[in-house]
Amino acid sequence: MAVTVSEAAARHVNRYLAKRGKGVGVRLGVKTTGCSGLAYKLEYADEIAPEDVVFEDNGVKVLIDPKSMAYIDGTQLDYVREGLNEGFRFNNPNERDRCGCGESFRV
């Protein structure tokens, strides 16, 4: 079981945490929503909860609640720029389908 962070994502997260002046890493999980059933949720975390599953890659801690782990195990968190758009991308080998708008996915 592992979640990894690309070098580009690590640079972005570390730069933002330094600008914020606090934080231990990012919290990654899933929520039920959208056409396909699940959507990623990502937020900066200020503390590690006792139940969190913690991975560290490229100097970034990724905190995951145990319920989300089954859906995102093996995922790589990446940060990409495409034209004028930039943002996090989730490279998840468990995804079987993604809705047309890109909002949600199914495993």
Side-chain angles (χ1 to χ4, degrees):
M1 290 176 31
V3 172
T4 59
V5 180
S6 72
E7 289 182 18
R11 278 193 305 273
H12 183 79
V13 169
N14 285 325
R15 188 171 36 244
Y16 189 79
L17 287 174
K19 197 182 294 185
R20 264 180 103 219
K22 64 179 181 176
V24 295
V26 291
R27 186 174 305 282
L28 175 60
V30 296
K31 61 183 177 179
T32 304
T33 189
C35 339
S36 293
L38 297 169
Y40 297 104
K41 59 181 182 177
L42 182 70
E43 61 189 10
Y44 291 94
D46 293 330
E47 57 187 43
I48 299 172
E51 68 274 7
D52 283 337
V53 179
V54 181
F55 296 98
E56 187 165 351
D57 191 30
N58 282 321
V60 172
K61 282 188 174 77
V62 181
L63 317 175
I64 302 168
D65 69 275
K67 292 178 185 173
S68 295
M69 195 64 213
Y71 302 107
I72 56 180
D73 186 27
T75 297
Q76 181 198 45
L77 179 62
D78 196 8
Y79 192 82
V80 295
R81 286 188 178 165
E82 293 175 343
L84 298 175
N85 299 318
E86 62 183 287
F88 288 104
R89 177 178 290 162
F90 305 95
N91 299 317
N92 185 346
N94 302 308
E95 271 188 31
R96 296 294 169 245
D97 194 22
R98 183 173 276 271
C99 74
C101 66
E103 169 80 16
S104 60
F105 69 99
R106 184 177 54 181
V107 291

